[in-house]
Amino acid sequence: MGNDGGSIPRRIELVKEKAKNIILNPDLERAAVWLYCALSKRLLEEPVVSDGLGKLYNQDAIIEYLLDPSIYGDGDKICSHITTLKDTTRLNLTPNPSYNEKDSNLDSATMGSLDRDLKSKFVCPISMKEMNGKHRFVYLDTCGCVFAEQAMKEVPSKECVSCGKPFESQNIIVINPTKEEQDKMRKVMEEKKAKAKAERKAKKAENKKNGIVSEKKRKRDDSNSPDKPTNKKVSSIQSSAAAAVMGKVAQELAEKKKNTPLSSAVKSIYGSKDKKETGNFLTKGTFNRY
């Protein structure tokens, strides 16, 4: 075989090998979910928000996603359940006093030193534990305050220790939970959404039955009222007034120009042909044979 224009097949083309399992570095994976925005993959910067599944996002990234869902490419896979800012909770985070900007640089940290070098920008206000994935953290969806889970257990209270706002056990949301916990949280989140939608629908029906008009509808009706000029009508009136003023100005300029006497140069061009003068201002002083 050979010199016939063919090719010799390789073993990899003849034998189907078992796919190799990709093993991720746990430290890199931990840093990605705790120090970086789940959507934009940029470092977390305040204001930081979280959804009902405990994922962390930069608020500006969520706003960009809501304006254009295709801006990050995989946004529909990451946070398709977020349809408005109301689906997120803004977190009240406590800055880490020992944080250094260089500590969070993945490029400067080696694979073996990630566990030691990476620091979080935020800490628990009670225990001062860093929010870097080594400890479980939770937040309250009633106020957005963030604490280490162990600290919450050691300080049993039905009021937030930071802001004093009351909460219940269902208001405690785990940040970056396990896959099993996230599946349960997804069900709870969907139930909350369905319940809130049903309550809004029932309230709307009750208001309609009692003849109560919502503030939004009242504003819309006021804007469409015939007694109140609409924006379109106002702009039409303004354009008509501007046209009238411009017309008057143009007329005044025309009258002024009409009453202005002509200069001697212009008169020499449009002067009478009966004059015996052989030249005008254009030909005087030049050698003209005609």
Side-chain angles (χ1 to χ4, degrees), residues 257-271 275 281:
K257 188 175 181 180
K258 186 178 179 181
N259 298 329
T260 304
L262 295 175
S263 65
S264 58
V266 176
K267 284 181 180 180
S268 66
I269 297 175
Y270 300 101
K275 290 185 178 180
F281 83 102

Side-chain angles (χ1 to χ4, degrees), residues 2 49 59 67 93 100 102 134 142 153 171 174 183 190 230 237 240 242 244 255 282:
V49 297
Q59 191 179 60
L67 294 174
L93 297 164
N100 189 339
K102 295 179 181 178
K134 291 183 180 180
T142 51
K153 292 178 180 178
N171 298 126
V174 179
D183 292 338
E190 290 173 354
T230 60
I237 293 170
S240 300
E255 290 291 335
L282 294 174

Side-chain angles (χ1 to χ4, degrees), residues 65-192:
Y65 166 75
L66 293 175
L67 294 174
D68 181 8
S70 63
I71 190 169
Y72 290 110
D74 58 350
D76 56 334
K77 298 178 182 178
I78 298 172
C79 55
S80 59
H81 54 281
I82 299 177
T83 55
T84 66
L85 276 178
K86 292 182 179 179
D87 294 332
T88 62
T89 302
R90 182 168 175 172
L91 302 182
N92 297 322
L93 297 164
T94 304
N96 183 1
S98 63
Y99 174 77
N100 189 339
E101 198 70 32
K102 295 179 181 178
D103 295 335
S104 62
N105 189 358
L106 282 173
D107 296 331
S108 64
T110 60
M111 297 278 284
S113 62
L114 278 173
D115 186 67
R116 183 180 67 257
D117 292 338
L118 285 180
K119 285 185 174 291
S120 173
K121 291 183 178 181
F122 314 109
V123 295
C124 170
I126 302 173
S127 63
M128 297 304 290
K129 290 179 179 178
E130 290 190 15
M131 188 173 147
N132 55 11
K134 291 183 180 180
H135 314 282
R136 282 171 62 89
F137 270 70
V138 298
Y139 75 88
L140 306 177
D141 62 4
T142 51
C143 58
C145 294
V146 179
F147 307 96
E149 187 180 48
Q150 187 60 35
M152 287 283 291
K153 292 178 180 178
E154 291 175 358
V155 186
S157 174
K158 291 297 181 181
E159 293 183 355
C160 176
V161 295
S162 288
C163 64
K165 195 169 184 178
F167 68 91
E168 299 295 333
S169 58
Q170 62 266 23
N171 298 126
I172 302 175
I173 308 297
V174 179
I175 298 177
N176 290 324
T178 61
K179 191 178 184 305
E180 292 76 15
E181 288 176 324
Q182 195 175 92
D183 292 338
K184 293 179 182 177
M185 291 167 69
R186 188 181 294 275
K187 291 180 181 178
V188 172
M189 180 184 68
E190 290 173 354
E191 289 174 1
K192 282 183 180 180

